[in-house]
Amino acid sequence: MTTASATASEAAGARTWERVRLHVVTGKGGTGKTTAASALAIALASRQTTPATRVLLAEVEGRQGISQTFDVPPLGTEETRIARPRSGGEIVGLSVDAKAALLEYLQLFYKLGRAGKLLEKFGAIDFATTIAPGVRDVLVIGKLYEANRRRKDGKHRGPSPAAYDAIVMDAPPTGRIGRFLSVNSEVADLARVGPIHSQAGSITELLESDQTLVHIVTLLEEMPVQETLEAISELRAKHLQVGAIIVNMVRPPLLDDVALEQARTGRLHKPSITGQLTEAGVKVTPELVDGLLEEAHDHAHRVDLESEQLALLQQTGLPLLLLPALPEGVDSGSVRELADILWDGLVEEGLIE
């Protein structure tokens, strides 16, 4: 189920993901953004490398979607191992909290220590993270910026290998992703100098570099596709690089092309359908046959609409990675199946070798 238009990808100058360290996953609500982010983290951690690949999977909205997907206890502000792919890699989970990030920030830059705890007790931390949403975003993304810089020895500089080979962010939905990632402009009027201004600039530099890609999860439905197209335009205008479009919950046609055309035009043969149902031991009534014909017509109409939406996505020139619908829902086992499919798509697209 993983396909894409190679010609379109080449035309857009699609590059490999070898230098990418931060994968930002966004999408309209209800498209399966967390599922796709989790599958991507597993796929990246499954790479056969020595030493084994280590991936940080982080959420920034406190919904605990990652813990539910992996069937583990709710994530906290401490980095916690949540899965080990068969390759021997490792996935570490994290729920980024703005208040905790601000306390860490105050300790790092101002050595407040116990004074920071007093600020929290008197509500100053809540005030700071709600009255200035731009600063909140700087702090949230700053936590992942710090994880990206950190080495295995805990330092931020030196010859030691990076603590993580890749970071996958389960980011806010497409309606807010542009503003969320535009941290520098958000804090420009609030902090023109000092550590916050400096950190915002460093974060923006990372987000706009070739180390970061934003992937958009969508469905083959009109509203999610339209929001995807709008998000692509917004992100590009903000100098952020869009990586791939992950098309989730793809359903294959239940009828072949001939039957679809007949269903579309109302030319399915009633006697033939009646005969096949009778042979299968089904008690046939006129109402049953008419209902099946109506469902077939609706199915053909849905296939046509999905084909139209897929064509719109192909016109973006971005790699398309298709994930199938799972009739029984998503759990820790099935998300690994999606990761395998996603990996095959990445290899097919030439994004990962």
Side-chain angles (χ1 to χ4, degrees), residues 29-66:
T31 59
K33 172 172 62 70
T34 299
T35 298
S38 301
L40 178 58
I42 296 175
L44 294 173
S46 298
R47 303 182 69 174
Q48 300 288 341
T49 61
T50 303
T53 303
R54 196 162 184 254
V55 175
L56 176 64
L57 174 59
E59 62 183 16
V60 298
E61 295 187 296
R63 296 184 299 105
Q64 292 298 331
I66 293 173

Side-chain angles (χ1 to χ4, degrees), residues 30-31 36 66 86 104 121 153 164 166 194 210 220 250 255 265 284 289 291 330 346:
T31 59
I66 293 173
R86 291 185 295 271
E104 288 183 23
K121 181 178 179 180
D153 59 10
Y164 296 104
D210 60 1
L220 291 179
V250 176
L255 304 173
T265 57
V284 181
V289 175
V330 178
L346 294 174

Side-chain angles (χ1 to χ4, degrees), residues 22 46 205 211 304 334 350:
L22 176 58
S46 298
E205 184 177 349
Q211 292 188 41
D304 290 343
S334 58

Side-chain angles (χ1 to χ4, degrees), residues 175-224:
R176 295 197 295 114
I177 191 64
R179 181 176 181 181
F180 176 75
L181 295 177
S182 299
V183 290
N184 193 41
S185 60
E186 290 291 331
V187 301
D189 295 331
L190 295 172
R192 296 185 179 276
V193 295
I196 292 181
H197 180 85
S198 176
Q199 187 178 31
S202 298
I203 292 171
T204 299
E205 184 177 349
L206 169 65
L207 294 177
E208 294 181 358
S209 73
D210 60 1
Q211 292 188 41
T212 301
L213 285 178
V214 183
H215 312 297
I216 305 177
V217 184
T218 188
L219 306 177
L220 291 179
E221 298 175 4
E222 186 174 359
M223 289 186 64

